[in-house]
Amino acid sequence: CCVNAASLALLDAGVAMCDLVVAATVAVVHEDQVFFDPTRREQNYAALLDVAIFPHLPDGLISADLDAAARALDFDDFDKFLHSAIACARDTAYHLTDIARELITRHIYIREVTAALPPLGASSSSTKRQKMDDDDDGLDNDRGEPVPLKTAVPGGVPMST
């Protein structure tokens, strides 16, 4: 559902939110058959109800949209229909919350990794010296003289100097 995707996109972008907005679609084909997240074919022969909720609030219903066939349901059937849709949305919220936790964990990890990196354009001589000493080019970077190599490459054939 696009509402669920938009809610996760806002979270991923770092927009502060009090709760995720979660949506679900429920279809009733007959009074006893309820389909959650119906296919297009099922939608053609059913009464549809779309709901959007704040899942962590007890009365978190934001929106309920009925199609024409659903408006013909009597009140008791509609009440069951609405509660089924809200339960479906809360179940969806459970899965989306797991995805949200994963996104937040990734953002924290990325923030920690990038904080440990030196700033771009850092030109301190110690950073340059460390970089040059680690490049394994066979030169003693302190004196600029060649250093004898034991092997051409790690695990390679021994060379004499």
Side-chain angles (χ1 to χ4, degrees):
C1 183
C2 59
V3 172
N4 299 333
S7 189
L8 286 177
L10 289 170
L11 179 72
D12 188 44
V15 175
M17 300 184 300
C18 65
D19 200 354
L20 291 173
V21 176
V22 180
T25 301
V26 178
V28 174
V29 177
H30 298 289
E31 293 173 8
D32 59 341
Q33 288 184 321
V34 177
F35 293 96
F36 301 111
D37 193 22
T39 64
R40 289 216 186 263
R41 184 178 175 149
E42 292 166 342
Q43 289 177 9
N44 289 336
Y45 303 104
L48 298 175
L49 173 63
D50 298 311
V51 295
I53 65 167
F54 286 128
H56 297 99
L57 297 177
D59 295 324
L61 182 64
I62 299 169
S63 171
D65 182 42
L66 298 167
D67 73 346
R71 291 186 185 130
L73 295 173
D74 67 8
F75 183 76
D76 290 334
D77 289 337
F78 172 74
D79 193 47
K80 285 191 267 182
F81 193 29
L82 179 62
H83 282 66
S84 295
I86 291 171
C88 179
R90 287 193 194 284
D91 187 49
T92 302
Y94 174 79
H95 297 292
L96 291 181
T97 301
D98 285 344
I99 293 168
R101 282 190 187 108
E102 185 180 325
L103 287 172
I104 290 168
T105 303
R106 278 191 204 159
H107 281 291
I108 291 170
Y109 174 75
I110 290 169
R111 193 175 321 139
E112 289 172 354
V113 168
T114 55
L117 295 174
L120 292 176
S123 62
S124 69
S125 60
S126 64
T127 305
K128 283 184 180 178
R129 174 166 286 146
Q130 180 183 6
K131 199 178 209 182
M132 291 169 66
D133 287 342
D134 292 341
D135 64 3
D136 239 2
D137 63 355
L139 296 177
D140 181 357
N141 292 318
D142 293 333
R143 294 180 295 189
E145 298 173 2
V147 174
L149 296 174
K150 302 272 189 221
T151 59
V153 292
V157 179
M159 295 176 55
S160 60
T161 53

